[in-house]
Amino acid sequence: MISTTTVEKADRLQASLAAAPQRLLIDGRWVEAASGKTFSTFNPATGEVLAQVARGGPADVDLAVSAARRAYESPAWRQMNAMDRTKLLLRLADLIERDAEELAVLECLNNGKPAKLTRLVEVEGSIKTFRYFAGWPTKFGGETLPVSPRGGVRILNYTTREPVGVAALIIPWNYPLSMAAWKVAPALAAGCTVVLKPAEQTPLTALRLGELALEAGFPEGVFNVVTGFGDAGAALVEHPGVDKVAFTGSTEVGKAIVRAAAGNLKKVSLELGGKSPQIVFPDAHLGDAAAAIAQGIFFNQGQTCTAGSRVYAHRDCYDRLIAAVSDHAAKLKIGNGLDPDSDFGPLISQEQWDRVSGYVEVGSKQGAKLIAGGRRPPHLDRGYFFEPTIFADADASMRIVREEIFGPVLSVLRWTDEDDLIRQANDSDYGLSAGIWTNNLRNAHRAAAALQAGTVWVNCFNLVDPATPFGGFKQSGWGREHGRQAMEMYSETKSVWVNLT
Ligand code: NAP
Ligand code: MG
């Protein structure tokens, strides 16, 4: 049963979205795109148009970057003391909390994932991220260093941290509000000004976040939002007025960004794809492992950069593990995310549906054994729904094992020898995350040390927290979000030498 209040909220939101096109936020004002163009954004659960949104392009990016530059140099922001920045970030977190239900429903409508997950992951996660980074302005400073000059000269040497400047934040559609928070919160905490470019599929919560930032009292131009397509992102990355680009998305676009940022050598941080292994030792608690493995791949319909898409199960537990994971998959309730019982929503778009279904075909053709899913759920005839899918008997040469599918497709492989297992798990261009399932401390630490991944989870999976660094080895990215490392990414270090003699 769909809850009436959620449906009423969704109806109200849809009516207000239909009433007028969504505009860009530039310099504290809501404006149309310079071209006057708009584009449609959709509800993936129905395929229906949800809103018209301003299609920002290079001219709008230029205005937004100039506004961000002016704001960056204005005393109102540049000289704002650390505690006042903390207060603004806390106020923004409070406003997200005030509007939590509306944001959760809006995200459900625009992204498709179940509202019970948008409440938890997008909204609560964003509140937590803003509150965490709100603590940093008063704690993020330099140090005094014991330098050793020659000739009896006495020196005071200290470092300061300064904001890097104007930051372009380019985010994907899979966790729209969270990804915005992950970037906006540390950037503002460090004292940058920002231009946020949400993905074309999911622009709506980024715009609401911009509105709340205005209400919180951030000075005009500190937080700008330019909606549009990849050309708006590309214009940001090329713009000489941008000092830093933080990007989450595909490895392919990440590489294009690195090339385009070379013009003025922008600082670049990248959070890209993954093909995360989950390795199961024969001594693992299989019930726990199976539940987390199902969750690790089917959460968010597999559209997660850390999705545990390759499972390496020891031959002694291989069959039992597959049976248990399949049981979990079969129990997932697939449906419209407004239904409080839904665990599993649609994919983001027809394009993504075609991509996932193409991989299922390739997997079968290359000899993997399809044991669950692989198709549209028969009871849902519209929207971009795709069943949780499991392949057994996969091997290292298969494309479903090597490439990021970004959908609910799990490949299960069998292992016998630990050295070979680790070699296979590391045999990937990606290195974002990995999971280990074992009750033996030595197995856990040996594997954690050997796996090439930015995050290793032992007897758990997909836990994230703003206090701990998140990012990838190899082609999964550059830099780390969260924690002190995020503050470092949005700042420069200055070393000051003072002659005291
Ligand atoms: P994408 O093309 O990498 O898009 C991510 C963001 O970059 C969007 O805001 C996009 O704008 C923007 N963008 C596109 N081209 C750009 C350019 N040349 N310069 C600067 N910004 C640019 O990702 P996608 O097309 O949405 O998804 C494709 C695949 O990427 C997925 O199937 C998945 O494998 C991977 N992906 C990974 C993550 C992750 O969390 N690591 C997230 C999403 C997707 P537009 O949306 O307007 O094009
Ligand atoms: Mg794209």
Side-chain angles (χ1 to χ4, degrees), residues 71-111:
Y72 179 67
E73 281 162 10
S74 75
W77 182 244
R78 201 61 211 277
Q79 285 160 30
M80 181 180 282
N81 74 44
M83 190 60 88
D84 286 340
R85 237 185 293 147
T86 289
K87 281 195 219 154
L88 281 179
L89 287 160
L90 288 175
R91 205 174 296 152
L92 180 51
D94 289 346
L95 293 175
I96 299 172
E97 195 163 53
R98 180 197 68 190
D99 292 351
E101 188 55 17
E102 183 194 329
L103 284 161
V105 174
L106 183 63
E107 195 77 292
C108 168
L109 289 172
N110 201 188
N111 168 279

